[in-house]
């Protein structure tokens, strides 16, 4: 697919997301706020499903991981200990001609250049770098811009009350490590998992929701015995890749980026990023790092509280090492939307087995006798709505009552949708567009033999099923 085609596809997806209530611009009525997004009714369901799938795989299905929900604002010393206050910066430059501000490393990369460093390890613009907006070469030297949002706690605004919105959820886990250890009957190796908002004052938010200033993270800190870091790191990379395929991101569209020794932070022994083929490039969904004892060690040093663990089996004391899989919920939601989104030309009537023609985004001309079918091919476990129920006709009370009974039964278990409006084909299309995997239609035959039509989104196949068998059939597919 050409770059233009990919762009057109992303635009078509963004327009669907707005129209059907997945993603809205924050504060749209006031012109929006760059880097912030709201999730509409379906987007909220989608994100909830992602978080539930992660929590289930990380916490509920395991005995060695427990959950935590820590505060967004932590004691400011946290960020001194973690290194964020000093080092959580991006190199920022200003174009003196057009006054626009950029992240220097990003725009160098886009121009095929590499940000250099001077003798004091300060970033230096390479010769040839020019402003991506106006082309001027009159650009300020890069300076460090700290990405943490600042706020004040309490009614006084001075340095003693200065605090930060967390730029990652991980530090709340390290800070509560001792309390969790004391209460949760866990033994090394064990993990603490957390899902929550994080905030970064990104210099250039971009690529739709990919780089935002407020986003959600799903982070696991897995504490291991020193010396076992490499095997646990490998284990977690494999586990996380399996999880992505479970939620519907195929292996073929995922990549691993293995950090070279010279790219690793000084305390880390290994790091692998999981990347996805977004329309705007292959980009990071998650980072999985073996961070040694850096985090617990620093909190021990800054708080004066021991973070040592006593191993009952080997009678040894040590500060555990940590392996950290850290994923972004919003980036995963965007990847799932990109993966699921298909536009195709189908014959005007809903013909089972008819081969759809994929839309060519360079030349989106409608073939004769065909209409556009937009479909989100979400894995059923991720789909915001699992099943839609339709009475064939809305002005036949018998059909409506019967269908309502089916709907009431199904929605006790799954997110279900009730739709009586318009021709049945149109109703199917509306559900295809939001990725609902199943449609149940109640027609006149239902009144005679208690069977309904069960339509499957991807194949558009319809089969007749006894009402009593619906829960079992659906649960086999949805879970
Ligand atoms: P990037 O290099 O893209 O800025 P990062 O390496 O700084 O990301 P981490 O600090 O490892 O990211 O954060 C873990 C995860 O949090 C990322 O893999 C990503 O999914 C998510 N994340 C980080 N920054 C953002 C952001 N600005 N918007 C949305 N998600 C983000």
């Amino acid at each position: 697919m050409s770059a233009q085609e990919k762009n057109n596809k992303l635009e078509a997806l963004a327009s669907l997301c707005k129209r059907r209530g997945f993603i809205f611009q924050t504060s749209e009525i006031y012109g929006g706020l760059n880097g912030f997004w709201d999730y509409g009714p379906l987007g909220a369901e989608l994100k909830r499903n992602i978080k539930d799938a992660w929590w289930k795989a990380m916490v509920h299905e395991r005995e060695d991981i427990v959950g935590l929900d820590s505060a967004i604002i932590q004691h400011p010393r946290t960020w001194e200990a973690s290194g964020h206050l000093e080092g959580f910066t991006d190199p920022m430059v200003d174009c003196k001609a057009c006054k626009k501000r950029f992240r220097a490393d990003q725009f160098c990369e886009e121009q095929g250049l590499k940000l250099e460093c001077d003798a004091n390890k300060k970033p230096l613009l390479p010769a040839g770098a020019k402003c991506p907006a106006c082309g001027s070469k009159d650009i300020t030297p890069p300076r460090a811009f700290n990405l943490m949002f600042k706020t004040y706690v309490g009614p006084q605004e001075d340095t003693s009350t200065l605090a930060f919105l967390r730029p990652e959820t991980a530090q709340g886990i390290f800070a509560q490590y001792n309390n969790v250890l004391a209460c949760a009957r866990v033994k090394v190796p064990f993990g603490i998992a957390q899902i929550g908002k994080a905030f970064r004052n990104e210099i250039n938010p971009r690529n739709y929701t990919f780089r935002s200033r407020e986003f959600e993270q799903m982070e696991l800190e897995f504490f291991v015995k020193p010396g076992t870091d490499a095997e646990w790191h490998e284990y977690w990379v494999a586990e996380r890749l399996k999880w992505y395929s479970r939620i519907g991101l195929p292996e073929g569209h995922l990549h691993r980026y293995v950090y070279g020794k010279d790219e690793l932070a000084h305390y880390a022994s290994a790091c692998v990023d999981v990347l996805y083929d977004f329309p705007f490039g292959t980009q990071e969904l998650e980072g999985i790092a073996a961070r040694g004892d850096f985090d617990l060690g620093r909190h021990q040093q800054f708080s004066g509280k021991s973070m040592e663990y006593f191993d009952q089996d080997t009678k040894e004391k040590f500060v555990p090492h940590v392996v950290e899989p850290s994923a972004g919920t919003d980036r995963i939601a965007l990847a799932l939307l990109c993966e699921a989104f298909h536009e195709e030309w189908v014959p005007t009537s809903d013909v089972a087995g008819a081969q759809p023609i994929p839309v060519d985004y360079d030349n989106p001309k409608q073939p004769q006798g065909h209409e556009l079918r937009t479909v989100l091919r979400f894995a059923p476990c991720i789909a915001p709505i699992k099943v839609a129920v339709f009475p064939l006709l809305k002005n036949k009370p018998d059909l409506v009552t019967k269908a309502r009974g089916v709907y009431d039964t199904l929605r006790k278990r799954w997110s279900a949708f009730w739709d009586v409006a318009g021709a049945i084909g149109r109703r199917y299309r509306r559900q295809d567009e939001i990725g609902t995997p199943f449609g149940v239609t109640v027609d006149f035959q239902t009144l005679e033999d208690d069977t309904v039509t069960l339509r499957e989104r991807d194949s558009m196949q319809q089969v007749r099923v006894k009402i009593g068998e619906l829960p079992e059939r659906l649960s086999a597919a949805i879970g």
Side-chain angles (χ1 to χ4, degrees):
M1 216 189 253
S2 70
Q4 186 56 43
E5 261 187 283
K6 285 180 178 171
N7 221 352
N8 292 349
K9 189 177 168 189
L10 189 64
E11 255 174 45
L13 173 64
S15 132
L16 170 76
C17 282
K18 176 168 184 204
R19 187 160 41 82
R20 297 307 309 267
F22 282 94
I23 300 171
F24 304 133
Q25 208 182 4
T26 287
S27 316
E28 194 194 82
I29 56 168
Y30 297 108
L33 187 61
N34 196 8
F36 296 89
W37 299 91
D38 293 342
Y39 288 81
L42 294 175
E45 296 286 342
L46 176 65
K47 270 187 81 176
R48 176 177 290 265
N49 292 342
I50 297 167
K51 289 184 278 184
D52 285 351
W54 188 88
W55 196 261
K56 187 162 173 257
M58 297 306 230
V59 182
H60 290 171
E61 288 179 356
R62 304 182 63 108
E63 289 179 56
D64 55 355
I65 300 179
V66 291
L68 181 78
D69 189 352
S70 71
I72 284 173
I73 295 178
Q74 301 272 318
H75 193 289
R77 288 277 282 171
T78 310
W79 309 111
E80 279 179 56
S82 69
H84 283 82
L85 200 56
E86 199 188 341
F88 194 56
T89 58
D90 277 338
M92 180 172 72
V93 289
D94 290 297
C95 169
K96 288 190 195 161
C98 74
K99 310 284 180 235
K100 287 214 165 74
R101 204 157 253 198
F102 302 98
R103 221 177 106 172
D105 56 330
Q106 273 177 359
F107 91 65
C108 284
E109 203 178 295
E110 281 160 12
Q111 293 171 34
L113 303 167
K114 214 171 153 83
L115 196 62
E116 291 158 3
C117 279
D118 67 11
N120 301 319
K121 296 212 161 169
K122 279 202 159 161
L124 202 65
L125 271 193
K130 52 179 194 273
C131 170
C134 74
S136 163
K137 289 194 175 176
D138 196 5
I139 299 171
T140 62
R143 58 200 184 283
F145 173 73
N146 195 299
L147 299 186
M148 286 199 291
F149 277 99
K150 296 181 185 71
T151 187
Y152 296 92
V153 175
Q156 216 152 302
E157 290 193 10
D158 59 40
T159 47
S160 72
T161 60
L162 179 64
F164 304 92
L165 304 192
R166 66 180 176 198
E168 61 173 37
T169 65
Q171 297 305 322
I173 298 181
F174 295 123
Q176 289 298 355
Y177 159 81
N178 275 336
N179 279 337
V180 174
L181 198 57
C183 72
R185 291 169 54 101
V186 278
K187 287 206 295 194
V188 168
F190 78 98
I192 306 176
Q194 168 155 238
I195 299 178
K197 291 264 184 171
F199 302 82
R200 296 183 187 180
N201 199 0
E202 299 278 357
I203 299 168
N204 297 126
R206 58 188 188 163
N207 288 335
Y208 199 18
T209 57
F210 179 84
R211 185 171 301 287
S212 311
R213 289 178 166 141
E214 173 176 342
F215 54 95
E216 255 177 318
Q217 288 187 315
M218 306 187 290
E219 294 196 295
L220 167 69
E221 303 305 328
F222 197 77
F223 300 100
V224 305
K225 194 171 174 182
T228 62
D229 316 47
E231 63 196 80
W232 277 110
H233 183 255
E234 228 171 82
Y235 168 85
W236 277 112
V237 172
E239 277 302 291
R240 296 300 303 139
L241 286 167
K242 266 190 252 162
W243 183 79
Y244 281 108
S245 86
R246 256 166 72 178
I247 62 164
L249 293 179
E251 240 176 80
H253 293 171
L254 291 174
H255 306 274
R256 303 166 191 221
Y257 179 80
V258 182
Y259 283 61
K261 283 270 175 269
D262 55 332
E263 294 173 294
L264 289 171
H266 65 91
Y267 47 81
S269 58
C271 187
V272 169
D273 284 347
V274 178
L275 316 176
Y276 173 75
D277 290 325
F278 286 99
F280 43 81
T282 300
Q283 302 267 2
E284 174 179 335
L285 290 180
E286 167 161 358
I288 305 161
R291 300 174 58 85
D293 64 1
F294 177 76
D295 306 277
L296 287 182
R298 293 274 292 193
H299 285 296
Q300 180 168 270
Q301 182 191 338
F302 277 72
S303 69
K305 305 277 184 321
S306 168
M307 299 285 166
E308 277 182 327
Y309 174 83
F310 181 68
D311 188 324
Q312 300 282 356
D313 301 331
T314 59
K315 310 287 180 225
E316 275 175 277
K317 249 189 182 179
F318 52 80
V319 174
H321 285 194
V322 74
V323 175
E324 176 193 76
S326 167
T329 316
D330 308 78
R331 286 191 185 174
I332 296 172
L334 184 58
L336 287 168
L337 282 161
C338 291
E339 186 65 36
F341 181 67
H342 289 85
E343 289 194 299
E344 55 199 24
W345 301 110
V346 290
T348 316
S349 51
D350 198 38
V351 187
Q355 285 305 309
I357 307 164
V359 168
D360 170 358
Y361 288 96
D362 272 342
N363 180 23
K365 238 178 35 206
Q366 182 163 358
Q368 247 191 3
H370 285 70
E371 60 184 6
L372 187 67
R373 175 185 187 238
T374 303
V375 52
L376 288 178
R377 295 208 170 101
F378 288 129
C381 66
I382 285 304
I385 309 282
K386 311 295 188 208
V387 57
V389 181
F390 318 109
L392 186 63
L393 298 169
K394 73 169 175 191
N395 52 4
K396 298 280 177 209
D398 288 4
L399 285 184
V400 174
T401 308
K402 188 81 188 167
R404 194 78 200 173
V406 174
Y407 170 64
D408 284 339
T409 309
L410 296 181
R411 74 183 167 135
K412 288 201 182 85
R413 237 176 116 179
W414 295 288
S415 53
F417 194 84
W418 171 253
D419 190 0
V420 292
I424 195 72
R426 294 267 307 278
R427 282 184 266 171
Y428 287 152
R429 290 283 185 276
R430 284 202 289 264
Q431 294 304 312
D432 288 345
E433 210 178 37
I434 61 168
T436 306
F438 298 104
V440 171
T441 304
V442 169
D443 55 21
F444 292 106
Q445 197 183 323
T446 314
L447 301 179
E448 285 164 24
D449 63 6
D450 249 12
T451 63
V452 290
T453 303
L454 179 64
R455 175 185 182 269
E456 201 267 328
R457 176 197 67 206
D458 295 342
S459 63
M460 295 188 275
Q461 297 265 326
Q462 303 184 16
V463 287
R464 280 219 83 88
V465 175
K466 281 261 182 217
I467 290 176
E469 287 168 14
L470 272 177
E472 201 181 315
R473 283 191 79 122
L474 291 178
S475 110
I478 300 166

